[in-house]
Structure formats: structure tokens, C-alpha cells
Amino acid sequence: MASIRDLKKDINFVLGDIIEAVYIVEAANNNQDSKEGVKIIDDAIETFDDLIAKVNMRKVDNRKAHLNGVRQELEKKALTLVDKLNKLG
């Protein structure tokens, strides 16, 4: 159970940090509520909802492999969002 809790925390922290970074970049550039920034935040929230739903799935054949897949998906989506964030700044 601890690994599931840790995975949920990782999802929350990683995507929360990306959202916070969008606000920081926008504030630094004097460009609050840019369309690109809003899109990154929306993508991060959508990714959060999707990944948490996958973590909460109980009827999977191999739970450990499923959770490892969720962790890998988090890494891929986070890298994609960070690339978008870097283009924002």
C-alpha cells in the first residue's frame, strides 16, 4: 500500500510543480493567463485526473505491472509538459 500512496504523492507533486512553474514563468515575463500557459495547466490537470483514475483501478491482471506503467506514463507526460513549459519561457 505504501507504494500506491507514494505513487499518488509523486503524481501530485510532479504535476503540481509543473503548474506552479507555469505561474512563475508567466509572472517573470509579465504575461499572466497566456493561452499557452493555460493550455499547459489544463493538460497537467487532465493528466492528473487520468493517472489517479488508473492508479485507483483495481480490476487489472497484474497490479504491479499496471502501477509501473502508470509511473512510466507519468514520466513521459511530465517530460512533455516540461518541454512545453520551456518553450513558454
Side-chain angles (χ1 to χ4, degrees):
M1 279 305 224
S3 65
I4 294 171
R5 186 176 341 144
D6 290 341
L7 179 57
K8 286 181 178 182
K9 285 181 181 180
D10 288 345
I11 292 168
N12 189 34
F13 289 143
V14 168
L15 296 174
D17 286 347
I18 291 171
I19 291 170
E20 184 178 355
V22 170
Y23 289 127
I24 291 170
V25 168
E26 285 183 338
N29 294 333
N30 253 350
N31 191 14
Q32 280 80 9
D33 298 328
S34 67
K35 290 181 182 179
E36 297 86 7
V38 170
K39 176 73 172 128
I40 294 170
I41 291 171
D42 288 345
D43 289 347
I45 293 170
E46 182 179 321
T47 300
F48 175 84
D49 292 342
D50 182 47
L51 293 177
I52 292 296
K54 288 181 180 180
V55 169
N56 290 332
M57 284 181 164
R58 295 192 182 260
K59 296 182 181 181
V60 293
D61 292 336
N62 186 346
R63 182 100 166 126
K64 185 174 182 178
H66 174 72
L67 294 175
N68 284 335
V70 172
R71 186 173 295 282
Q72 290 174 351
E73 186 176 348
L74 170 62
E75 291 176 15
K76 281 197 294 187
K77 296 217 177 182
L79 286 174
T80 302
L81 290 170
V82 168
D83 286 342
K84 291 179 183 179
L85 177 63
N86 288 336
K87 291 176 185 173
L88 181 65

